Amino acid sequence: MTEQRPVILAIDDQPEVLSAVQRDLRARYSDDYRILGTTDGQEAIATIDELALRGTPLALIVADQRMPGVTGVDVLRSSLDKFPAAKKTLLTAYADTDAAIDAINEVGLDYYIMKPWDPPEDKLYPILDDLLVEWQAAYRPTYTGIRVISQEWSRQAFELKAFLARNQIPYRSMLLEKDAEANQLMEAAGADLSQLPLVLFPEGEPLTNPSTEILAQRVGLQSHARADAYDVAIVGAGPAGLAAAVYGASEGLKTLLIEASAPGGQAGQSTLIENYLGFPKGISGADLTRRAYSQATRLGAEILVPARVERVERKDPYRIVHLADGTSITAKAMVVTSGVEYRQLQAEGLEELKGAGVYYGTSNIEANYHRDQPMFVIGGGNSAGQASLFLTRFTDSVTIIIRGDSLDSTMSRYLIDNIEANDSVSVLPRSQVAGAHGGTHLESIVLRNLDTDEQTETKAGAIFIFIGQKAQTDWISDLVQLDERGFVLSGPNLGPLKNWNVDRDPFPLETSVPGVFVAGDVRHDSIRRVAGATGEGSTAIRFVHQHLASL
Ligand SMILES: Cc1cc2nc3c(=O)[nH]c(=O)nc-3n(C[C@H](O)[C@H](O)[C@H](O)COP(=O)(O)OP(=O)(O)OC[C@H]3O[C@@H](n4cnc5c(N)ncnc54)[C@H](O)[C@@H]3O)c2cc1C
């Protein structure tokens, strides 16, 4: 971690004077402040830029006025926009008094100190003590974590921020249009608009328009396996995969969990899971994920994020798992827990506005972006119901758009009751979205009435789409048997088996390939609940043991 004590910066072109100032400053202030010094005015300006870039507070500048090229006043002027609250002093000779007085008006000089300042106890410390007390009183610590600087509706920035949020990595979003500091930081980093989004870190170089993989590496996520071979490889870190990893690792299996996007899967996007056993007030998906993730790693599972499995090759008795980055690992057994993803809604203009008002799923970030604007939820299932209630924390206008007559046959009663009791949510039946309009971001949607075919355009801040889900099985479709909708068949549901080369019947949760198991929403006939997924993930490990024992 970078040193975040506030800085006192001293500048004097004469090395012996600089070391005397630094010596005196250190003697009194080094417990609470970091003392930096330079003999070069240009370098001082660069240091000020660098401190701003890193979010390190600058408390005080002590600058010699008379320096070749860049003067003390020039240095103080350069700090004005980045550190308006920093205290500014000039070291002056008698002949510089006029320049110092001018500087009071020009740069808000706080004090000019006549050289020499001996003894410092009389001529230096009383002045600086006062200035630093004043600075401390006004100082509000700046945010020094990861900062993402972008234009307001940047899709790349949306993806980076969603990635950080889903992986529970704190960051601050700074928009050029709304935050003067964002402009200064972009300038200080020497970046221009074409290099945005810009990601700043407390230490090390900023990243310009990074991919999620580069960002992941930088924030310390592990996306490459440490070993070549594992007892069990689990694909997908939703509740099913996390449960399998906890049980696998705790029962002594060398366990690798591979996640393409962020741990938690769909559950990670749930704002409040109310029906998971043991949490009477409900638990947010993010909280549940954090707990499961640390439990799995503490027990010894290795978790790769982001790492996408592209295909699996059968080399009996091993399974070779090929990852999108070109690497591969060998596993004696596998658990498929790749879940489902939202179906995409097809209507004119939606694709272009994805991430800028059009969203699949919802979280604090998107909801906050559109605070106090009219929001629409498309779909009538439980996740749509949960999302619409969540959105009422941000706006008093949420409309659920459904094709059917009512929510009765698609949503749980407790959610319908809550929706009916909430004045901020209304339901628009027999309707669908026919199009979306907007420039940099969504401005309106076109609604079609399914009975009359009449179309109306209405102002919209954001739409959140929940229109059903599709199994994530492209990566394994040429290996295991799937049902007609793409879900993985297992145990008693399997059709006639080809290449079944072990001397036993498939275990429950075992696919058409020996040693490859399936758990959670991606399984044919699953109940699509967190509890179901965690139950199946842990149960699959029991069968993994039995399979390994039979090898
Ligand atoms: C908004 C919302 C609210 C919900 N609320 C509730 C609730 O209140 N109560 C409840 O019981 N259930 C709820 N559910 C349902 C519940 O979240 C799911 O049943 C559960 O998450 C399924 O878990 P899973 O592990 O099977 O799959 P998922 O959660 O879908 O996770 C699958 C994971 O696999 C990863 N993956 C996919 N393909 C690959 C690949 N090729 N390589 C690597 N990784 C891959 C994905 O990125 C994903 O992280 C909710 C769902 C949603 C969307």
Side-chain angles (χ1 to χ4, degrees), residues 236 238-240 259-260 265-267 275 309 338-339 342 386 520-521 528-530:
E259 168 55 49
Q266 300 164 71
N275 53 0
V309 176
S338 49
Y342 289 115
Q386 222 178 61
D521 281 15
R528 308 272 185 93
R529 291 286 183 276
V530 176

Side-chain angles (χ1 to χ4, degrees), residues 23-25 27-28 117-127:
R23 180 203 57 216
D24 289 343
L25 290 173
R28 185 152 180 111
W117 56 84
D118 275 331
E121 286 73 15
D122 294 341
K123 296 193 177 160
L124 186 68
Y125 298 150
I127 300 163

Side-chain angles (χ1 to χ4, degrees), residues 166 168 236-239 242 259 262-270 285 288-289 293:
R166 283 202 308 268
Q168 310 198 16
L242 285 163
E259 168 55 49
Q266 300 164 71
Q269 296 171 32
S270 175
L288 188 66
T289 302
Y293 183 92

Side-chain angles (χ1 to χ4, degrees), residues 289-336:
T289 302
R290 194 166 36 242
R291 288 159 185 256
Y293 183 92
S294 44
Q295 192 176 9
T297 44
R298 185 180 63 80
L299 290 167
E302 195 178 320
I303 305 182
L304 306 187
V305 185
R308 178 173 292 280
V309 176
E310 265 192 350
R311 70 193 169 86
V312 178
E313 197 185 335
R314 179 171 174 172
K315 270 200 182 158
D316 286 329
Y318 302 110
R319 314 290 167 235
I320 316 297
V321 181
H322 294 276
L323 298 163
D325 66 0
T327 59
S328 58
I329 60 103
T330 301
K332 292 183 193 159
M334 285 184 65
V335 187
V336 176

Side-chain angles (χ1 to χ4, degrees), residues 91 154-155 206 219 257 273 280 283 287 291 339 347 390 404 413 460 533:
L91 286 175
S154 154
R155 188 160 167 170
V219 297
L257 175 58
I273 300 167
I283 181 166
D287 199 5
R291 288 159 185 256
F390 165 71
R413 192 69 238 171

Side-chain angles (χ1 to χ4, degrees), residues 201-252:
F201 301 89
E203 57 187 24
E205 290 300 304
L207 292 177
T208 52
N209 193 10
S211 63
T212 46
E213 286 73 20
I214 301 277
L215 183 61
Q217 277 170 20
R218 186 63 185 274
V219 297
L221 293 174
Q222 184 197 341
S223 57
H224 297 288
R226 295 200 186 99
D228 296 329
Y230 292 83
D231 292 328
V232 59
I234 303 158
V235 182
L242 285 163
V246 164
Y247 279 77
S250 68
E251 292 170 14

